[in-house]
Amino acid sequence: MHIKTFLLAAIAVLTSATAPLAQAQGKPIRLIVPYAAGGPIDITARALAERVKDTLGTVIVENKPGAGGNIGADAVAKAAPDGLTIGIAATATHAVNPWLFGKMPYNAATDFAPITQMVRVPNVLVMNAETAQRLKINSVSDLIAYAKANPAKLNYGSGGNGSAGHLAGELFKKEAGIFAVHIPYNGGNPAQLALLSGQVDFNFDNLATAAPNIRSGKLKAIAVTTLTGVGALPGTPPVADTLKGFAIDTWWGLVAPAATPKDVVARLNQAFVAALNAPETKTRFATLLAEPVPTTPDEFGAFMKSERTKYEQLVKATGARVD
């Protein structure tokens, strides 16, 4: 009888050790996306939520958009640190907004426990194809040469003051030693429409957003913002080939509230890293021109710290403010 009891207890322990995390805790995991449904961040979050259900149990994606991502990120920061609430940390919420907003509801450096980076998406310097042909601009060097020969004649659009496109444009101007008028629009789509209609001369856009118009020939890809080339745009060189060290990409990853136990973070990391490494995930993300970037929690934390430092200097240089 004692042997039978012992065996039953051992089986129970083994079962609980291998049970999905959410199942073991009796509740589903909530994954907060600080942006509206349907965008690349939301799509990748839902894809991973589906892939980890066998190891973590049910993961429910909840969209909390608003205030440049701050509302959703704040919800993660203030959630109970029990492993049942995690969320997306993105370039804006954890690197740009701390310097862009005069008052932040959370501390990007101390209120979160990094889990893993998820994705890196290159940005791309694009021109209206007809404009590029008319001005005889086929490369970064051509663009810089034209800007220097024609002071104050060029302009560029972005999704708004402090947006990724704005900051990339200002970094480009600084590194190239040129001037171009910045024209902010109310979002990335209006900025792209302005470029397509010839209202602005060039933009720095997310590759996933710009790709359809590049393929159709409406936009000309001048260069990518990664340090090396991008497989999705063969033959398109990095800006860094002309301006050494130039790099400004879009990224996002997973975080939990700061006090989440390390063993819980480790298990979340293990499950999501396995999902990111799955061939099916790489194929799915490739359709969004997004590259999976699985990391350790420490690696993701160090990366976000370096990005905050980079964007602190850049935002202050532009003088961009939201409030």
Side-chain angles (χ1 to χ4, degrees):
M1 181 62 70
H2 290 296
I3 294 176
K4 182 179 179 180
T5 301
F6 173 79
L7 289 174
L8 289 172
I11 291 171
V13 169
L14 288 172
T15 301
S16 63
T18 57
L21 181 61
Q23 179 184 317
Q25 299 177 93
K27 295 180 181 179
I29 293 173
R30 184 172 61 140
L31 198 175
I32 296 176
V33 175
Y35 301 101
I41 293 179
D42 178 66
I43 292 171
T44 56
R46 291 178 187 277
L48 287 190
E50 179 65 22
R51 289 213 62 81
V52 299
K53 65 182 181 181
D54 289 340
T55 51
L56 297 180
T58 301
V59 178
I60 299 172
V61 175
E62 181 178 338
N63 298 91
K64 281 186 172 292
N70 286 353
I71 291 175
D74 187 48
V76 178
K78 292 179 171 56
D82 54 10
L84 293 177
T85 299
I86 60 177
I88 296 290
T91 313
T93 57
H94 283 68
V96 176
N97 290 358
W99 320 115
L100 191 62
F101 286 77
K103 186 177 181 181
M104 288 286 288
Y106 58 87
N107 187 315
T110 61
D111 287 351
F112 302 89
I115 297 172
T116 178
Q117 186 173 344
M118 283 172 54
V119 164
R120 176 173 56 227
V121 180
N123 295 315
V124 58
L125 168 58
V126 285
M127 293 187 69
N128 178 294
E130 293 181 0
T131 301
Q133 184 177 20
R134 175 169 51 82
L135 300 181
K136 297 180 172 59
I137 295 175
N138 295 298
S139 66
V140 172
S141 296
D142 289 344
L143 180 59
I144 294 172
Y146 181 88
K148 289 183 175 180
N150 300 272
K153 284 192 175 181
L154 287 177
N155 58 32
Y156 76 98
S158 81
N161 287 320
S163 65
H166 176 206
L167 298 178
E170 292 303 306
L171 179 62
F172 180 73
K173 286 162 55 177
K174 175 178 176 292
E175 296 298 317
I178 64 171
F179 178 78
V181 176
H182 171 233
I183 302 179
Y185 291 86
N186 188 26
N189 287 337
Q192 187 180 81
L193 289 174
L195 182 64
L196 289 168
S197 64
Q199 296 176 43
V200 295
D201 298 312
F202 68 91
N203 286 1
F204 281 87
D205 204 351
N206 182 285
L207 179 55
T209 303
N213 286 309
I214 293 173
R215 294 191 190 104
S216 71
K218 295 177 182 178
L219 294 180
K220 181 177 179 62
I222 302 295
V224 293
T225 63
T226 46
L227 289 173
T228 58
V230 174
L233 283 179
T236 303
V239 175
D241 281 2
T242 304
L243 302 175
K244 187 176 180 180
F246 187 100
I248 187 163
D249 307 329
T250 299
W251 53 265
W252 57 91
L254 293 165
V255 292
T260 303
K262 288 188 176 181
D263 62 327
V264 174
V265 171
R267 187 163 185 190
L268 289 166
N269 172 269
Q270 183 179 21
F272 281 107
V273 164
L276 287 165
N277 281 323
E280 296 84 356
T281 299
K282 295 178 180 179
T283 300
R284 179 73 182 91
F285 283 16
T287 64
L288 302 170
L289 301 180
E291 175 191 356
V293 186
T295 65
T296 67
D298 286 345
E299 288 170 341
F300 188 36
F303 172 73
M304 288 194 289
K305 181 179 179 180
S306 69
E307 288 286 283
R308 279 193 296 275
T309 299
K310 178 174 75 176
Y311 281 104
E312 177 184 15
Q313 299 168 354
L314 194 50
V315 171
K316 288 181 178 178
T318 66
R321 300 292 287 182
V322 167
D323 53 2

